[in-house]
Amino acid sequence: MLTLFHHPLYASCRFVRLAFGEYGEELALIEEHPWAKRREFLALNPAGTIPVLLAEGDHAIVGATVIAEYVDETRGAFQRNRRLMAEDSLARAEIRRLVDWYLVKTEGDVTRHLVRERALKSQMGGEGGGAPNSAAIRAARANVRQHLKYTNWLAATRDWLAGPRLSYADAAAAAALSVLDYLGEIDWAQYPAARDWYSRMKSRPSFRTLLADRVRGLPPASHYADLDF
Amino acid sequence: MLTLFHHPLYASCRFVRLAFGEYGEELALIEEHPWAKRREFLALNPAGTIPVLLAEGDHAIVGATVIAEYVDETRGAFQRNRRLMAEDSLARAEIRRLVDWYLVKTEGDVTRHLVRERALKSQMGGEGGGAPNSAAIRAARANVRQHLKYTNWLAATRDWLAGPRLSYADAAAAAALSVLDYLGEIDWAQYPAARDWYSRMKSRPSFRTLLADRVRGLPPASHYADLDF
């Protein structure tokens, strides 16, 4: 079994867990707090970021999209219908664009700020903690809607977010939105197509481990683990 | 000829130009100012970011790493010895890790701040311009050293930054450092192995177009285009 250094509220880590889950492969999870700059962890990844996958032979694979490409090359390529990447280069570019959208743009506009202010600061103590910054929370909340509207548009015009088949794009979007949903930041009633798509994602066996995540001192929104929300 | 929407001082755009240059393919360049949020450009890429490649059939390929994978699949894979990606999955993961290092980590720690404060603010006017923030410049300069030290270590212990062959990792590092070098922010004398590696990169035909870049109102450091620096 491979090992993943992760944090339960990092969308990029949830994305990797969903990808392995879709291929029916279990991961050993080690919760890493990147702000602690643990020496043994920096030896694995001098950038100090998560996720890091300890792959075959204990080689460290660093970063969500790098791990996704590795998993596609070593697993996905042999999965036929269940592969999370397309075969065609333009379709692959569209999947990768959306993975970047949710793991970079949504992360920078919304997720990172809400997770830091509402969840991590209380864990961080002397390593960057302190009182939540309400201006940062307000700015991030103002951006949530734009990302939900875009997701709603994708879900309304395509079978899955990047096209006719489930792909890494769905895993990335579900990873990001599941973090926001844990925090109770999504008003699903306003986005019916996104809600229907998220409901399909939530029912997948790969999602179970995410729905069981709990962060100390911060219980999830009441509907977080409900398949009917 | 394909078209690239770019800015001459964005490392991510220089990276794409180097990749095409290595494969001997010329690009039509359109200078895009992402802060202007031009409507026609947002129709191509709703994220509003550069680079964007107009590929065959005018399909928009969005983002440096997405473009790099597309170029590898449609060109690199047929290049044999000149391919900028490895064949082996672990070696590919190492190349991608370093591309992320220079285009994400170096960008966020150093490049983005120095480019914004020293070059873009005077171009931006009412769309985010203003006086340079000297605290941001100081913080970025304090981080330059760490990135040069790491590059020096990689260059001293490997033939090329990711291993025995020239790869996307070298293109990403050279793209990022060439922007900092344009701004005169690198004290090469302190990093002899990095300097030797950069000198090899600078001599490549793919680099010529970068060395000819000029930004209005901000001439490059005097040694910028010298092959002997």
Side-chain angles (χ1 to χ4, degrees):
Chain A
M1 192 189 300
L2 304 189
T3 297
L4 184 73
F5 293 85
H6 86 125
H7 188 286
L9 288 185
Y10 275 50
S12 53
C13 301
R14 290 185 163 218
F15 165 71
V16 172
R17 292 162 67 199
L18 283 174
F20 275 94
E22 284 295 323
Y23 295 149
E25 190 169 336
E26 222 180 313
L27 289 170
L29 296 176
I30 296 182
E31 186 170 324
E32 186 68 35
H33 292 173
W35 56 88
K37 300 185 199 297
R38 200 164 58 87
R39 184 188 299 262
E40 296 84 352
F41 182 67
L42 290 176
L44 279 180
N45 173 18
T49 52
I50 50 175
V52 171
L53 178 75
L54 275 194
E56 291 78 3
D58 283 350
H59 289 283
I61 315 277
V62 171
T65 56
V66 179
I67 295 171
E69 299 290 347
Y70 179 80
V71 169
D72 185 61
E73 291 166 10
T74 57
R75 282 122 172 116
F78 314 105
Q79 292 277 345
R80 295 177 171 273
N81 290 341
R82 296 177 57 221
R83 185 175 183 182
L84 295 167
M85 268 300 250
E87 305 277 331
D88 169 73
S89 287
L90 285 171
R92 292 163 70 83
E94 174 65 357
I95 291 169
R96 290 177 176 126
R97 177 183 77 85
L98 289 172
V99 169
D100 274 2
W101 183 287
Y102 289 100
L103 300 189
V104 180
K105 184 172 169 57
T106 311
E107 181 74 15
D109 291 351
V110 182
T111 326
R112 178 190 304 149
H113 309 288
L114 291 173
V115 168
R116 186 186 57 232
E117 301 302 330
R118 295 199 44 211
L120 300 187
K121 272 191 169 175
S122 65
Q123 297 192 354
M124 289 169 110
E127 291 145 338
N133 174 338
S134 57
I137 293 178
R138 258 198 316 278
R141 281 184 177 151
N143 289 333
V144 169
R145 269 172 298 179
Q146 168 199 359
H147 288 270
L148 264 296
K149 270 175 69 176
Y150 189 55
T151 307
N152 199 65
W153 178 80
L154 291 170
T157 52
R158 301 168 171 185
D159 295 335
W160 296 92
L161 297 191
R165 283 174 40 205
L166 178 80
S167 77
Y168 276 142
D170 301 283
L177 298 188
S178 70
V179 169
L180 297 174
D181 198 42
Y182 185 101
L183 298 173
E185 295 285 354
I186 302 179
D187 179 7
W188 289 107
Q190 289 190 54
Y191 312 101
R195 179 191 198 145
D196 172 68
W197 161 83
Y198 188 62
S199 164
R200 282 186 284 151
M201 290 301 295
K202 230 171 157 175
S203 314
R204 300 185 73 82
S206 65
F207 226 89
R208 276 186 211 135
T209 156
L210 271 58
L211 297 179
D213 279 343
R214 291 296 176 273
V215 177
R216 189 163 44 89
L218 185 75
S222 58
H223 64 268
Y224 172 69
D226 291 351
L227 295 184
D228 187 20
F229 57 103
Chain B
M1 193 189 299
L2 303 189
T3 297
L4 185 74
F5 293 84
H6 87 122
H7 187 287
L9 287 185
Y10 275 50
S12 53
C13 301
R14 290 185 162 220
F15 165 70
V16 172
R17 291 162 67 198
L18 283 174
F20 275 93
E22 283 295 323
Y23 295 150
E25 191 171 336
E26 221 181 311
L27 289 170
L29 296 177
I30 295 182
E31 185 170 324
E32 185 68 34
H33 293 172
W35 56 87
K37 299 187 200 297
R38 201 163 58 86
R39 185 189 298 260
E40 296 82 354
F41 183 66
L42 291 175
L44 278 181
N45 174 17
T49 51
I50 49 175
V52 171
L53 177 74
L54 275 194
E56 291 78 4
D58 282 351
H59 289 282
I61 315 277
V62 171
T65 56
V66 178
I67 295 170
E69 298 290 348
Y70 178 80
V71 170
D72 185 61
E73 291 167 9
T74 56
R75 280 121 172 116
F78 313 105
Q79 291 277 346
R80 297 176 171 274
N81 290 342
R82 297 177 56 219
R83 184 175 184 182
L84 296 168
M85 269 299 252
E87 305 277 331
D88 169 72
S89 287
L90 285 171
R92 292 163 71 83
E94 176 65 358
I95 291 170
R96 290 177 176 126
R97 177 182 79 84
L98 289 172
V99 170
D100 275 1
W101 183 287
Y102 289 100
L103 299 189
V104 180
K105 185 173 170 56
T106 311
E107 180 74 16
D109 290 351
V110 183
T111 326
R112 178 190 304 149
H113 309 288
L114 291 174
V115 168
R116 187 187 54 234
E117 301 302 329
R118 295 200 44 211
L120 300 186
K121 271 190 169 175
S122 65
Q123 298 193 353
M124 289 169 109
E127 291 146 337
N133 175 338
S134 57
I137 293 178
R138 260 198 314 280
R141 282 184 176 152
N143 289 332
V144 169
R145 270 172 297 180
Q146 168 199 359
H147 288 272
L148 264 296
K149 271 174 70 175
Y150 189 55
T151 306
N152 199 65
W153 177 81
L154 290 170
T157 53
R158 302 168 170 184
D159 295 332
W160 295 93
L161 297 192
R165 282 175 39 206
L166 178 80
S167 77
Y168 276 142
D170 301 284
L177 298 188
S178 70
V179 170
L180 296 174
D181 198 42
Y182 185 102
L183 298 173
E185 296 285 353
I186 302 180
D187 178 7
W188 289 107
Q190 290 190 55
Y191 313 100
R195 179 189 199 147
D196 173 67
W197 160 84
Y198 188 64
S199 164
R200 281 186 283 151
M201 290 301 295
K202 230 171 155 173
S203 316
R204 300 185 73 82
S206 65
F207 225 88
R208 277 186 212 137
T209 154
L210 271 57
L211 296 180
D213 280 342
R214 291 296 177 274
V215 177
R216 188 163 44 89
L218 187 75
S222 58
H223 64 268
Y224 173 68
D226 290 352
L227 294 184
D228 186 20
F229 57 102

